[in-house]
Amino acid sequence: MPTITYIQPDGTAEAMTVEDGTTLMRAAVTSGVDGIVGECGGQAMCATCHVYVRPEFAGRLPQIGDDEDEMLDCTTAERTDRSRLGCQISVDAGLDGIVVDVPADQV
Amino acid sequence: MTALPASGIPALAANTRVPATLPSPAPDSAFQGAETVREAPVADWVTLADLREDPFPIYRRLRAEAPVHWVPAVNRYMVVSYDACHTVEQDADTFSANEEGSLMKRAMGHSMLRKDDPEHRADRDSYGSTLRPGTIKNHWMEIFERNHRRYLDQLKAKGPGADFVWDYAAPYAAENLRLICGFHNATQEDLQRWSQTMIDGTGNYADDPEVWAKAAASSAEVDAAIDEMLVYLKDRPDPSLLSGLASMPIPLEAIRANLKMTIGGGLNEPRDVLATTAWALLSCPEQLEAVRSEPKLWAAAFEESVRWVAPIGMYPRQTTRETVLGGVRLPAGAKLGVVLGSANRDPKVWEDPESFNVLRAKKPHLAFGGGQHFCAGAWVGRASVAQVALPGAFAELRNLRLEPAGSAIAAGWVFRGMTSMPVAWD
């Protein structure tokens, strides 16, 4: 089972092991990670599961789809080239050990 | 910074009757291991008239007593704490949207709002990109600007004493909705009539035959208008919902029900958040000044307004199995009212929750619902109200004010908004 690490803006790290195929949003919401809301339940509709993925994992991420792309323009914290919606990234063995930074603002 | 007092209209709030005696809580019983579980307290002191006038003092007392109550007047369990409402939203397997005996199904047909995934998903996907931010930016914003201009001019032509809700917010919201739906064969007045009469049907617990007759007449008009537009839009596509649906393999019955739900759910909400936000800002001059000097705060004013007075204050769910919610035992098949209007004022989440304060620390409110039923029109509402109407109206109507003072009226609890809001300007 893969591991995900969420880093809060103050540097606090939370690591968790999840079932294959769990999204970055669902894992965070289920475990109560601060700063990841996931209002729309994973439909790429609300832009409240914004995360910054550490660059060393960029090459292993799925492409940004059209819905995700337009929603990333609606995030509260600044969009950067590391920005992704947590609900659009399922974590499996290929992304084991992924580290993401949680933005300071989500709503 | 002046903050608005707790409840809508102070004069009305003072009249709200909330008896001092509390119903004694049912004895706790052991259930599900270590968690203490009790039967739902019975809130027999809650009346529909009090809820309609000002629900917030009632919610305050309910929250202080328990997260979930049985409320005889509503014939439902009312879920009033933030945590319990959030739990319901995140667990569609236990808390189904597909309610038995739903009056909404009778008034509007079986729309996506009363379906669970995967049936809900197919309907939701059929709305395509019409309501998404890209289409709003590339297509609808220009139309919102035009409609804003048109109805603000009508308000100005009417002169001081005009009603901000009925002479501006309502026709503006209705005309936007007409074009988003693709009803090129109807008027904004039709949309307002359809919306209100069908909504009255969804709330017709008294089973008034006249209410059913009006809802049925509107429903038939909408069916006829849809049939005509589906043919018309096939050859003349545009970004509207009906245009997208015209070329989609989706049953006509679902199209009809979903459009009726959208007519009901897409008109009152932008209308009410527009007027409620304007009313709140006009009642708090310091907050209005803060927003005027920092235009980014229009978005904050919108979010704070829907937190403070959610335009849809309650929606139904039904349990699929026996469960425990907020420490309260619920039987299988229990009908719930998920009271967002109360969750959004839970003091466990917000400091000074009863006050309107655009500068408060931002936290996720539940006004748009959550999970699979998260409001499909959320971005349309934000764009049409917070980006176009509010900044536009306040920029143009110099020294806009409530006049005569104290005559604005807020009402409702399932749907809450301003029912009268006379204004003047220089």
Side-chain angles (χ1 to χ4, degrees):
Chain A
M1 294 200 299
T3 301
I4 306 170
T5 302
Y6 300 88
I7 312 282
Q8 292 293 337
D10 68 359
T12 315
E14 281 174 86
M16 60 193 66
T17 303
V18 301
E19 296 283 338
D20 265 1
T22 307
T23 67
L24 290 175
M25 181 279 287
R26 184 55 62 196
V29 170
T30 305
S31 310
V33 173
D34 266 356
I36 298 190
V37 183
E39 268 175 356
C40 77
Q43 308 177 74
M45 247 323 268
C46 71
T48 63
C49 63
H50 180 203
V51 293
Y52 300 114
V53 179
R54 293 277 168 106
E56 54 268 37
F57 301 94
R60 288 185 260 161
L61 296 176
Q63 290 283 315
I64 297 179
D66 290 347
D67 286 354
E68 181 180 358
D69 188 38
E70 72 171 351
M71 208 49 65
L72 283 169
D73 287 336
C74 301
T75 55
T76 299
E78 185 196 6
R79 178 180 186 173
T80 73
D81 54 9
R82 298 181 189 182
S83 289
R84 295 299 301 258
L85 290 187
C87 70
Q88 299 302 299
I89 297 173
S90 296
V91 179
D92 53 20
L95 281 170
D96 185 22
I98 188 169
V99 180
V100 302
D101 293 291
V102 177
D105 294 306
Q106 198 65 266
V107 293
Chain B
M1 198 60 47
T2 305
L4 267 186
S7 34
I9 308 293
L12 290 180
N15 294 333
T16 304
R17 299 179 307 279
V18 179
T21 51
L22 308 183
S24 47
D28 292 341
S29 61
F31 192 86
Q32 283 199 351
E35 193 187 5
T36 307
V37 175
R38 61 162 158 168
E39 298 301 314
V42 177
D44 55 5
W45 49 274
V46 175
T47 71
L48 290 176
D50 288 345
L51 280 169
R52 253 182 244 121
E53 186 174 286
D54 181 5
F56 298 112
I58 297 170
Y59 297 160
R60 204 155 55 228
R61 176 171 161 192
L62 289 171
R63 278 193 311 266
E65 291 174 21
V68 180
H69 299 250
W70 173 254
V71 183
V74 182
N75 202 27
R76 281 175 192 278
Y77 293 89
M78 281 173 70
V79 183
V80 293
S81 75
Y82 184 97
D83 274 353
C85 287
H86 189 249
T87 299
V88 171
E89 290 188 339
Q90 297 298 322
D91 184 2
D93 291 337
T94 308
F95 302 100
S96 170
N98 191 3
E99 188 195 34
E100 290 167 10
S102 154
L103 295 186
M104 185 184 187
K105 288 184 198 167
R106 178 169 169 186
M108 299 180 172
H110 195 175
S111 77
M112 65 175 95
L113 206 60
R114 292 287 171 273
K115 291 180 183 175
D116 298 318
D117 281 348
E119 293 80 10
H120 159 268
R121 184 83 228 173
D123 281 13
R124 177 92 179 217
D125 286 348
S126 78
Y127 271 22
S129 60
T130 296
L131 307 175
R132 296 190 64 96
T135 312
I136 294 170
K137 190 175 163 195
N138 297 327
H139 185 76
W140 300 123
M141 277 301 271
E142 191 187 332
I143 288 172
F144 297 160
E145 295 279 2
R146 199 164 71 216
N147 291 338
H148 159 71
R149 180 76 269 145
R150 176 174 171 187
Y151 291 105
L152 198 69
D153 283 348
Q154 285 194 15
L155 179 87
K156 286 165 74 180
K158 200 155 182 185
D163 192 296
F164 191 84
V165 186
W166 303 112
D167 295 321
Y168 171 63
Y172 170 67
E175 182 66 0
N176 289 344
L177 182 67
R178 184 180 76 82
L179 294 167
I180 288 168
C181 289
F183 284 115
H184 303 297
N185 52 355
T187 64
Q188 62 87 4
E189 289 88 348
D190 290 330
L191 269 285
Q192 288 199 59
R193 180 169 43 82
W194 293 344
S195 183
Q196 194 57 54
T197 49
M198 289 191 296
I199 283 174
D200 290 344
T202 68
N204 190 15
Y205 290 99
D207 212 21
D208 180 339
E210 196 179 325
V211 170
W212 283 128
K214 284 184 180 170
S218 288
S219 180
E221 281 183 50
V222 174
D223 288 345
I226 288 173
D227 290 349
E228 188 178 34
M229 289 318 301
L230 287 175
V231 175
Y232 175 92
L233 287 164
K234 234 176 190 153
D235 300 326
R236 303 167 193 81
D238 67 17
S240 70
L241 291 173
L242 280 165
S243 180
L245 290 162
S247 56
M248 219 169 276
I250 186 139
L252 181 61
E253 188 191 354
I255 294 178
R256 288 174 166 179
N258 288 329
L259 261 294
K260 287 170 198 169
M261 178 275 288
T262 304
I263 293 167
L267 202 158
N268 289 19
E269 292 68 17
R271 177 194 76 195
D272 292 345
V273 65
L274 172 50
T276 298
T277 312
W279 178 76
L281 289 170
L282 291 172
S283 305
C284 306
E286 294 91 343
Q287 294 198 45
L288 177 57
E289 197 44 49
V291 176
R292 280 186 190 279
S293 57
E294 177 46 90
K296 274 188 194 161
L297 285 176
W298 285 114
F302 176 98
E303 300 298 332
E304 171 63 355
S305 174
V306 295
R307 179 204 69 82
W308 188 58
V309 180
I312 296 181
M314 186 275 274
Y315 64 79
R317 286 290 181 270
Q318 188 168 22
T319 56
T320 57
R321 58 182 178 86
E322 182 172 321
T323 188
V324 174
L325 179 63
V328 172
R329 194 190 69 81
L330 294 172
K335 292 194 175 186
L336 313 183
V338 183
V339 189
L340 307 178
S342 174
N344 281 344
R345 292 191 182 202
D346 190 332
K348 287 184 180 148
V349 178
W350 283 277
E351 200 176 311
D352 189 19
E354 307 285 343
S355 299
F356 176 85
N357 179 3
V358 297
L359 299 179
R360 71 168 58 249
K362 288 197 285 179
K363 289 183 181 171
H365 59 70
L366 303 182
F368 289 120
Q372 56 186 248
H373 290 282
F374 177 77
C375 177
W379 296 100
V380 167
R382 287 173 171 139
S384 64
V385 175
Q387 291 180 43
V388 177
L390 283 169
F394 276 91
E396 182 136 342
L397 301 171
R398 288 173 55 85
N399 193 22
L400 181 65
R401 56 195 181 271
L402 301 166
E403 192 175 296
S407 59
I409 296 170
W413 68 288
V414 176
F415 297 94
R416 187 166 178 86
M418 309 305 296
T419 56
S420 167
M421 189 175 152
V423 289
W425 57 92
D426 294 342

